[in-house]
Structure formats: structure tokens, C-alpha cells
Amino acid sequence: MHVKLRIIPTLKLLTQENRYIVGIAVGVSLINGILPFVIILGNSEILNSLIRENYQQVWQQLGLTYTIYILGQVAVNVGQRYLDVQMVNVDERLKLRLRRSWMKVDFEQLETDDFFAQMNQSETSFRYSGGFAVFMRQLNQAIQSVTSLSVGIGVTVTLIVLGINQSKLIALLSVTSLGLILFGEWLGLIWYRRLTIQNLKIFRVLMNQERVLNYFLMEVINRYEIIKSIKLNQFSTVIMKHYREQWATSQKTNEDYIGNQFQSRIVTTAMTGLPISILVALLIVKIRLKILKIGSLNNLFGSLVQVAASSTALVTAYQNLERFEQQTKFIHQQLLKPNVLRKKQRVTTGKVIAFENVSFRYASGKLALSHVNLVLPIQGTTAIIGENGSGKTTLVKLLLGLYQPTSGRVTLDGVDIQALNRDDYLKLFSPVFQDYAIFDFSLKENMIANHAEDSAVLDTLLRRWQLLPWIQKLPEQLETVVGSYSSENFQPSGGQKQQMALVRGGYQAGKLALLDEPTASLDPLKELTTFQNIKRFSSQQPTIFITHRLGAAKIADRILLMESGQLIADGTPEELKQVSPEFRTLWAAQSRIYQ
């Protein structure tokens, strides 16, 4: 029951992708489990007919036995071919579903270390487990083994009880033999269960150690920025020290794992050797007393071979299925979540965004925003300033609806944004955060994403954000491919990537641009031009931008000053100089840098 319940989540996933696949797998496995006994029992009858010299019956039994066997093999091969092809497709579809599920995760969860740890675990589970095709092979093996085991035990028990009523000696020998076999197998199963639990514990440790090894061996050097730090700051020795320490630990765990498997093989050998020796002795006695025919020996040996092989295969498949379920636990959590769809109000316009007594606390317990009240008409230019950790970016993420307030609410034209259609609401904005991503495909695709191509709009944005002269010098211009997958391994500079992000945000054509430190990677001249453009085009596209540079904030129509998660000042630059001592302190501190 325990194993059955454990594999149900995986069976649900498989039937969601292909409702026939589990049924066909069960059918193939049942036929595979029965076919060996068609040959064993048929050959025994052929042998008995040969001893009686009844050759007509020999040919009849020969034709019937091998016709059934060949037809069974054809059915198995056709079914297995279907399963092999479909399981490859199922694996790919489940990977796509997993990636789509990641895209639906709330930003609050997305930014936690736990989520990425689980995401990496689910991703690597396809590598370690071999994918759901491996699960299906193990399930096939388990069902086939149970079938062969059941038929083999049935044949064996029949041979044991035959003739039991002919003499007290036979009855005593049969009952004693059966009792010894059952007692020995019971002890073996207890021992094997303990080894299996230990095997799973060791394997979980081994998986975690493998991920750590992979980090120090490959992941730690998979980006230019990291390699640069390793070479310039002398980290190579430290990294290799950690790798060697982890490798030594992993080797010890591997030895424990191999030792556990060796003990498991000893148990299975004992579990098959004991009944074989007892049963052969009993059968010889019955044949000598003419209770059984000579062909019964073939039935016994054939059945015992199948029972022994099936027992070993079953416990191996059981261990592998348990291990697979451990590896794919997070995949089940992601893909089997109930899909609750609530109808949301469509967004047809947007004029005013308001924060009504909004507070926000991270899952770690840290309070990031406290009782913020704010009205933001979608017009002009607004700068959000403050020290690191003051709540600037959190405020913008709440505005976008990426986070949900712990208390209070954010509204659009008086309607709580949580009640609005998420896609409609996000289309109001053109966001550009500091942690933008540049992907390994063409410059054009990086900037227009999945929006329809409009050459005139793109050209205007390239000129506005000063990218056009650089792109025109490239041999392939907008079709230039970024990253390691291109033959040239083309990499834009940090400033060029930030300009591309600005173009990308503008191309979304939202009513309100949201820019998080939009000039952090730009040189002073480009920075000046960028802020001038933000001001110049604010009548076409109102802008909210986060900045540490108070000089740049002077271009804003309105400044919001954040401190320790609170909005402590709100007004024009001139008003804040008059009424906010905190603003004056920041202004004076930055002014001294340029004196």
C-alpha cells in the first residue's frame, strides 16, 4: 500500500499527458510476466508426452505453446514500441509544463532561496532519474515481476500440495517445507526493508552532495563575472579546497551506498537459495514415490528461476521507484497544484494609482514597508530616492502587483489591483529593473520580445536611448546574436545592455514607465542624455524612476523620499529643500562629492 500511494502522483501526471499509456504499460507487463510460464508449462507437457511416446500430442502441444508465445511477443513488442515513443514525448511535455509553472509563480515566492533550491532540485531530477521514461520502465518491471512471482508461487505451491493426502509423511514434509520457506522469506523481507530505507537515506545525501560538487566544479565558473572574480581576487585555491573536501565526503557516501547494495544482493541470494534447496528435495521425494511426473521437475525449476529473477527485479524496481518519487517530489508539488481560476475585472483605463496604508513584510519576517499612504496620478516624472534598503524597489514591486501587501491595499482608480486582470494591469507599465536579463538570441529579439515588430517604433527608441550608432557598426546589426551560442560569442558591454533594457521597456508601450536605477551602468555623458530624454518624453510616457543621484532627481516633477520602509517626504525638489531636513542632508552629502 505504501508503494502504491507513493507512485500515484506520478501516475496522475502520466495520465494527464496520455490517458492510454498506463493501461498499455500494465497490459504489456502482464503479458511479459505470463509468457515465460507458457513456455515452462508447455515444455513440461511436451516432455511428459515424449516419455509416453505420444508424438501426435507432442506436435499439437508444440504448435499451441509456441503460437501463443509468438503472438504474445508480437503484442509486447508493439506495445513497448508505442510506450518508448510516447514516453519521450511525455518527458518533453512535462518539462515544458514545469517551466510554465515556474513562470506563474508569485514574485514573492520567486525571490526566496527555498524556491530556487526546489527549482534546481526538480530540474536536476530529470538528469539523475533519467526522466519519467525511466519511471515507466521501472513500473513495467515491477508489474511484470509481481505477475511472474504470483504465477511462479502458484505453480510451486501446487507442486507442494499435490499428493499431500496420500500419506502422513508427505503431508508432514509438505507443511514443514512450506513453513520453512515462508519463515525464511519473512525474515529476508524484514532485512531487505531495512536496507531499502537505509538506501534511500544514503541516496538523498548523495544527491545533495552531487549538487554541491557540481556547483564547485561547473556552476561556479559558468559566468564571465564569476571567472573574473576568481582570477582577480585569488579564489581558485579556496574553491578547489572546498571541492576536494566535498569530493572526499561524497566518496565515503558512495562507499556506503555500494556497501548497502552489496548487502541487498546477499539478502536476495539467500531469499532465492533457501526455497530452491528445500523444494528440490521435496519434489525428488514425490517423483520417487510416483506422486508427480518427471515433467514436474521442469515446472519446478522453471518456476523457481522465474520466482528468483522476479524477486530480485521486484526489489530493485521497488528501490528505484521509491528513489524516483523522492527525486520528483517537487515536480509533483508544482504540476499537481489545483488550478483555481478566478474571474478578474478587466482594465480599460488607468489614471490614478493609490497606496492605502500599505505595509509589506517578507517571508523572512523583515518589515520592508510600513503604513505608506500615497496617491500617484499617471502623469509627469516622479523620482523615488533613499538609501539602500529604504524600500524603494519594494514600493515599485507592490505598485506593479508583483508583491501583495501584508496589510492595506494598492488601487487603480479606486479598485484594488488584486481584483484586476493581471495581464491587463501589467500592460499599463513599461518596467526596467536593475536585474534585467539579456538572452542568447538576436539584439532585435532581446528588445522587442514577443511583441509585434514595428521598425519605426524600434528605430525611434534606438535613437532615444543612443544605441543606433553602435548597432549600425555591427556586421549583422539588429540580427547580431548575443552570447556563447553564436560563433562570435558576442557580448555587449554593461552600459549597452542597460540601454537595450531601456529600449525593451519602451517597446512595451505602457502608459507608465518604471525605471529602477536606469543609468547605473552608463558613463556620465550617456547618463546625462538619458535623464534629459526621460524628462523630454514624460509628456508622451509618464515616468517613475528610482535613483541614488539627487542631481538627476532634480529633473522630476515630484520626489518621494523613502527611509526605513516609510515615505518621509513628498514634493517637488524645491519644496523638499525647504521642508525636509533628511533631503537637505542627502543633498549636502552628495554635493560635497563634486566640490
Side-chain angles (χ1 to χ4, degrees), residues 317-335:
Y318 170 75
Q319 281 189 344
N320 290 337
L321 287 170
E322 285 271 3
R323 190 182 304 138
F324 185 89
E325 293 303 307
Q326 288 287 340
Q327 291 171 315
T328 55
K329 203 184 302 182
F330 179 67
I331 297 177
H332 297 148
Q333 291 170 5
Q334 286 296 304
L335 298 186

Side-chain angles (χ1 to χ4, degrees), residues 22-76:
V22 174
I24 291 174
V26 170
V28 167
S29 302
L30 289 173
I31 296 172
N32 257 332
I34 292 170
L35 280 181
F37 292 95
V38 171
I39 296 297
I40 292 167
L41 298 175
N43 284 346
S44 295
E45 289 304 311
I46 291 168
L47 179 62
N48 289 331
S49 296
L50 282 171
I51 291 171
R52 294 195 304 269
E53 297 185 355
N54 188 341
Y55 296 109
Q56 182 179 356
Q57 196 170 15
V58 167
W59 288 111
Q60 289 176 351
Q61 289 166 342
L62 192 67
L64 179 63
T65 298
Y66 284 91
T67 298
I68 293 172
Y69 180 77
I70 290 169
L71 291 175
Q73 284 290 354
V74 169
V76 164

Side-chain angles (χ1 to χ4, degrees), residues 468-487:
L468 193 60
W470 167 64
I471 288 176
Q472 286 177 335
K473 293 176 183 177
L474 298 173
E476 300 296 325
Q477 298 192 1
L478 283 170
E479 300 302 327
T480 302
V481 177
V482 176
S484 56
Y485 295 116
S486 66
S487 56

Side-chain angles (χ1 to χ4, degrees), residues 102 105-113 115-116 119:
W102 294 341
V105 170
D106 290 335
F107 272 79
E108 292 172 59
Q109 184 183 358
L110 188 64
E111 293 188 350
T112 62
D113 291 337
F115 172 77
F116 279 97
M119 188 177 74

Side-chain angles (χ1 to χ4, degrees), residues 338-407:
N339 188 16
V340 181
L341 295 175
R342 290 185 291 272
K343 193 171 182 179
K344 298 291 187 82
Q345 183 176 330
R346 300 303 301 265
V347 178
T348 56
T349 184
K351 295 180 180 179
V352 179
I353 297 170
F355 282 64
E356 299 177 1
N357 200 30
V358 171
S359 295
F360 178 76
R361 190 181 296 275
Y362 285 101
S364 63
K366 178 187 174 184
L367 184 64
L369 222 60
S370 177
H371 303 291
V372 173
N373 288 285
L374 174 65
V375 177
L376 282 169
I378 300 179
Q379 63 186 33
T381 305
T382 302
I384 304 175
I385 63 172
E387 297 177 349
N388 288 337
S390 60
K392 303 183 299 297
T393 302
T394 302
L395 182 77
V396 170
K397 288 183 177 178
L398 283 161
L399 186 151
L400 279 169
L402 305 183
Y403 292 169
Q404 294 185 26
T406 306
S407 62

